[in-house]
Amino acid sequence: MAENISDRMEISMKTSIDERYIWLDGQIVNVNDAKINVLSPTSQFAVNVFEGIRCYWNEENNQLYAFRLDDHYNRLAKSRKLLRIAEKYNDTQLKQAFIDVIRANEYKEDIAVRQTIFIDGFGSWSSTDSVNMFVAPIPKGKLSTEYNRKGLNCCISSWRRIDENSLSPRIKCGANYINSRMAQLEAINNGYDTAIFLNSSGNVAEAPGSCLFIVKDGKLITPSLTEGVLESITRDTVIHIAKDILKIEVEERVVNRTELYTCDEAFLCGSAMEITPVYSVDHYNISNNSYGEISKRIHELYLEIVTGKYVFRKEWLTEVYE
């Protein structure tokens, strides 16, 4: 049974992962009671847009920080616009739902939050209204195994990355992740941890759900956004850390396959992935199964920034608890 937000907030208890609370259509409900129409456009045709938002617990400050929340909502708005989903929630409503459901679960640990706007009700693949939303937090340790590895052995996928002439990689939507699903399943079935996409031109794009960086001769290099790459918030964060703090030269440009094989360091990054080193690609060893020096420095600074231990851009952190 659904509970009003005000009623739920009066209850002081922690929830198990399979009994946690999520926000759905203006109410906070037990995850097992969250229901949508099985014939809805989101169920049948993946008509939805979403954000994966990370929050980090700072024990010393007794505070949970949401990382770059406003930037996530800006990207969510762009995805919704491009997919022509009607506007129902403003940023204030998005943020309040986000904070309410985290507080309801009383999370005081690192978590990931999926915030999804979708088309519910009876409609078709071209429906634009009957808009609904859910917000579902989960502890970091419960994320998929691929997001909790210390290092990754990758392959080049036989599947090509979607592009602006098929289905724009700029849209963060459920349908786009079928492309990632195909590459990820192929990689796992062939004994790898994950895959790296080439785009329609045969250049390096990104990995399923994460962006790619390489290090070559002391420079940090990443495929440009026109190469079939999501406008990743973590990618942007890494670039700022490298340029503004570490004073490392960053190049956003075309990266070819053999350049990846011969680079000095490589890592994948994303809200779920954070920053994870690539140990090998197609069995070409990258960094002797360890973190490269530059990759490690970036990761260390990243973790200090997201947890509020290193004040870099104050506006990047949103306090969840009063």
Side-chain angles (χ1 to χ4, degrees):
M1 179 182 298
E3 300 176 44
N4 291 329
I5 292 175
S6 58
D7 293 336
R8 171 66 194 119
M9 297 305 289
E10 292 177 0
I11 301 174
S12 179
M13 59 178 291
K14 292 185 178 180
T15 55
S16 63
I17 189 66
D18 55 351
E19 294 290 339
R20 71 189 190 277
Y21 289 88
I22 75 167
W23 190 102
L24 176 66
D25 194 22
Q27 295 182 308
I28 291 188
V29 301
N30 185 289
V31 66
N32 299 291
D33 296 325
K35 305 272 193 285
I36 64 169
N37 187 341
V38 296
L39 297 178
S40 65
T42 192
S43 180
Q44 294 197 80
F45 309 110
V47 184
N48 61 66
V49 294
F50 72 93
E51 287 295 319
I53 304 165
R54 292 300 300 268
C55 300
Y56 293 86
W57 178 248
N58 184 310
E59 186 69 34
E60 183 178 350
N61 296 342
N62 196 36
Q63 184 59 260
L64 187 67
Y65 295 110
F67 187 59
R68 299 190 67 170
L69 193 57
D70 291 335
D71 292 314
H72 279 286
Y73 290 153
N74 287 338
R75 186 173 64 182
L76 184 64
K78 293 176 184 176
S79 295
R80 179 194 56 75
K81 179 180 180 180
L82 287 169
L83 215 57
R84 298 187 184 274
I85 295 175
E87 184 176 6
K88 181 178 179 180
Y89 306 97
N90 59 38
D91 284 358
T92 300
Q93 292 168 320
L94 293 172
K95 187 176 294 186
Q96 194 60 57
F98 176 89
I99 288 175
D100 282 346
V101 74
I102 296 173
R103 290 179 179 177
N105 285 285
E106 303 176 31
Y107 283 128
K108 294 188 176 182
E109 59 185 298
D110 295 351
I111 63 173
V113 184
R114 174 63 60 89
Q115 190 152 5
T116 300
I117 295 174
F118 61 95
I119 303 294
D120 205 351
F122 292 98
S124 70
W125 53 268
S126 60
S127 297
T128 60
D129 52 14
S130 297
V131 177
N132 206 337
M133 179 174 71
F134 72 78
V135 190
I138 187 171
K140 175 187 173 183
K142 297 296 183 180
L143 292 176
S144 301
T145 303
E146 65 204 78
Y147 296 131
N148 282 296
R149 294 187 183 279
K150 294 182 178 179
L152 299 164
N153 293 298
C154 307
C155 64
I156 298 296
S157 178
S158 68
W159 297 95
R160 292 298 173 99
R161 180 64 173 150
I162 54 176
D163 60 31
E164 290 289 345
N165 295 314
S166 55
L167 183 56
S168 175
R170 295 178 188 275
I171 306 174
K172 194 170 178 65
C173 64
N176 276 359
Y177 278 70
I178 295 301
N179 184 224
S180 292
R181 173 183 172 85
M182 300 303 291
Q184 183 67 16
L185 290 177
E186 177 187 48
I188 292 172
N189 288 339
N190 289 329
Y192 297 94
D193 298 317
T194 192
I196 294 171
F197 281 113
L198 303 182
N199 60 24
S200 57
S201 299
N203 299 317
V204 174
E206 62 177 24
S210 54
C211 288
L212 171 73
F213 283 85
I214 65 172
V215 175
K216 190 172 184 179
D217 299 327
K219 296 179 183 178
L220 188 65
I221 303 165
T222 189
S224 62
L225 292 176
T226 55
E227 294 297 304
V229 176
L230 175 71
E231 292 183 333
S232 164
I233 292 167
T234 312
R235 175 185 180 276
D236 182 69
T237 302
V238 167
I239 290 172
H240 279 294
I241 290 172
K243 282 184 174 181
D244 301 339
I245 302 177
L246 297 177
K247 307 303 179 183
I248 294 171
E249 183 178 349
V250 179
E251 294 183 354
E252 297 178 68
R253 60 169 175 78
V254 170
V255 176
N256 61 50
R257 182 173 184 165
T258 54
E259 189 174 19
L260 177 57
Y261 291 157
T262 60
C263 67
D264 302 320
E265 303 175 29
F267 61 86
L268 299 182
C269 70
S271 293
M273 180 75 68
E274 293 181 328
I275 298 172
T276 305
V278 172
Y279 288 163
S280 68
V281 180
D282 288 344
H283 299 295
Y284 286 95
N285 186 277
I286 301 297
S287 57
N288 296 318
N289 292 335
S290 64
Y291 245 134
E293 180 182 350
I294 290 177
S295 303
K296 185 177 181 181
R297 289 168 66 195
I298 291 172
H299 190 195
E300 289 171 346
L301 272 169
Y302 177 84
L303 292 177
E304 289 185 7
I305 290 168
V306 299
T307 55
K309 296 175 182 178
Y310 183 105
V311 179
F312 176 46
R313 297 205 171 183
K314 197 172 182 180
E315 70 274 14
W316 280 2
L317 300 182
T318 299
E319 295 183 351
V320 172
Y321 293 108
E322 294 177 335

